Amino acid sequence: MKVSTVDLRSDTVTRPTPAMREAMARAEVGDDVYGEDPTVNELERLAAERLGKEQALFVPSGTMGNLICVLAHCGRGDEMILGADAHIFYYEQGGAAALGGVHPRTLANRPDGTLDLDEVEAAIRADNPHYPVSRLLALENTHNRCGGQVLEPAYMDAAAELAHAHGMRLHVDGARIWNAAVALGVPVSRLLRGADSVSACLSKGLAAPVGSVVAGDGEFIRRARRLRKAVGGGMRQAGVVAAAGIVALNEMVERLAEDHANASLLAEGLAALDGVSIDPAAVRTNLVYFDLDGAVPEAAEMAARLAERGVLVSPTGARGLRAVTHCDVDAAQVRRAVAAVAEVMVQSR
Ligand code: TLP
């Protein structure tokens, strides 16, 4: 019997559910650049409602969603304050700088994914001809490189208040904002109350095949819609994929709690192994980062040996690895992954 692969590299690997495929096959479509795709229009209505914003826009990816939002807020030479570990800064090829001339000002992320708001305030530029204009504060919730940490509603509110007091806007990279809301037991809209824009993924834990939504007020979405066309994101009969996004929002959010429980199971299993360093109490959502000590193989070799055993994880550094739980991985497969790590450890001693 062929043993199935346990793919823990990312929640981006999730496949559309049977309900999504059915909805996709049945989707009514039209030309969305003309605003005539009824399924896209319904997804955008539903997303705006869930995110608590006036309007939403369907975009092909989280990267494009962030780029469009940053460009909608900032002009060339404007400054954006964000974490040094932010996905926008770290993993998006510097697109906002390359394509929009937006100047990134990074501050250290704290281990909980937040930025120190006193440091943010100190970084905001005075009105002085030497300086760029501080236009945007960008936060990430959950925070990927900080281990899927959840930024609390009170913190999000305080950050928005600070930005607004200085005439700035707040953007939230909410690729996994659904995970944050489920972990906190609050509606997504509560987390975004003060945010001027959000980019939220449908294609990660929510399992849609492609797509993200951005949301904000009507004037913001008007600018974002123009920018989406400029960067090549006008998708025509996109209802075929938007249909999966509607199923994602209606059926896949609450079940993220299972992924979080499986992530804790994985973290506890790994913590019990000699040679692995991880604090299971710090795992609050579906991202599990762990380190290997000097007595065991380095991360790349560990990943290769796990792959031979049908378990896929991502090396994040010489001794660091990331494993991500999602709807295509169950508790039994998580146990198999832990057993595979244990086996590689034993064989390498
Ligand atoms: N993250 C991917 C990789 O790019 C690292 C992953 O496997 O986690 N914001 C955040 C916080 C993200 O984690 C990601 C994807 C994105 C934006 C970009 O989304 P896509 O991949 O749809 O462009």
Side-chain angles (χ1 to χ4, degrees):
M1 191 186 85
K2 188 177 175 304
V3 184
S4 66
T5 301
V6 183
D7 193 344
L8 298 167
R9 287 171 301 169
S10 181
D11 46 10
T12 59
V13 304
T14 47
R15 299 193 165 91
T17 63
M20 287 178 186
R21 288 183 184 272
E22 208 173 296
M24 292 169 81
R26 272 208 259 263
E28 272 184 56
V29 297
D31 190 323
D32 180 50
V33 175
Y34 290 96
E36 290 172 2
D37 188 302
T39 311
V40 171
N41 292 343
E42 172 55 15
L43 171 64
E44 291 177 347
R45 188 202 61 74
L46 184 63
E49 184 183 290
R50 296 290 161 82
L51 297 166
K53 299 294 164 204
E54 256 172 55
Q55 289 183 24
L57 181 72
F58 185 42
V59 297
S61 69
T63 301
M64 191 187 282
N66 281 331
L67 177 66
I68 287 172
C69 290
V70 173
L71 299 189
H73 290 302
C74 302
R76 298 190 73 79
D78 283 347
E79 193 164 73
M80 152 173 71
I81 298 176
L82 77 176
D85 281 312
H87 194 278
I88 293 176
F89 182 70
Y90 210 95
Y91 291 122
E92 298 183 10
Q93 284 194 25
L99 305 175
V102 179
H103 188 338
R105 173 92 176 267
T106 56
L107 301 175
N109 281 103
R110 297 188 288 201
D112 66 359
T114 60
L115 301 176
D116 180 331
L117 294 182
D118 291 335
E119 284 180 28
V120 172
E121 186 154 35
I124 295 171
R125 308 285 190 161
D127 182 7
N128 177 315
H130 295 88
Y131 298 152
V133 174
S134 303
R135 193 74 72 188
L136 184 66
L137 172 63
L139 296 175
E140 187 173 312
N141 198 4
T142 66
H143 200 291
N144 185 345
R145 286 181 57 83
C146 292
Q149 289 305 311
V150 175
L151 280 59
E152 307 276 336
Y155 176 82
M156 301 294 287
D157 289 350
E161 207 174 299
L162 175 64
H164 295 157
H166 292 271
M168 296 170 66
R169 299 267 177 260
L170 173 66
H171 170 67
V172 178
D173 176 352
R176 298 187 180 84
I177 194 76
W178 324 101
N179 297 79
V182 167
L184 289 164
V186 300
V188 164
S189 56
R190 170 64 192 91
L191 278 176
L192 297 169
R193 198 146 79 182
D196 299 286
S197 61
V198 58
S199 173
C201 287
L202 303 168
S203 68
K204 298 196 165 61
L206 303 194
V210 283
S212 283
V213 281
V214 305
D217 68 22
E219 171 51 24
F220 171 81
I221 292 296
R222 192 191 63 77
R223 289 200 303 280
R225 194 176 287 281
R226 284 187 58 80
L227 284 160
R228 182 184 67 173
K229 190 72 178 74
V231 296
M235 292 188 288
R236 308 297 178 183
Q237 286 72 36
V240 170
V241 275
I246 293 172
V247 177
L249 291 181
N250 285 332
E251 295 181 9
M252 302 299 284
V253 176
E254 290 310 317
R255 65 147 308 286
L256 292 172
E258 288 173 42
D259 301 343
H260 300 173
N262 282 334
S264 292
L265 185 69
L266 177 61
E268 280 153 22
L270 291 171
L273 303 178
D274 259 357
V276 177
S277 140
I278 181 172
D279 173 10
V283 174
R284 291 189 65 193
T285 58
N286 67 329
L287 305 183
V288 179
Y289 284 81
F290 57 101
D291 291 309
L292 303 174
D293 73 21
V296 296
E298 292 211 341
E301 197 188 333
M302 171 62 80
R305 294 220 220 151
L306 289 175
E308 288 163 11
R309 290 161 174 80
V311 174
L312 306 182
V313 296
S314 303
T316 56
R319 301 225 145 258
L321 291 152
R322 185 185 78 163
V324 184
T325 55
H326 51 76
C327 62
D328 293 338
V329 173
D330 62 19
Q333 289 172 308
V334 164
R335 288 192 197 95
R336 231 184 86 204
V338 174
V341 176
E343 194 181 290
V344 174
M345 300 285 204
V346 168
Q347 290 182 356
S348 60
R349 282 187 205 280

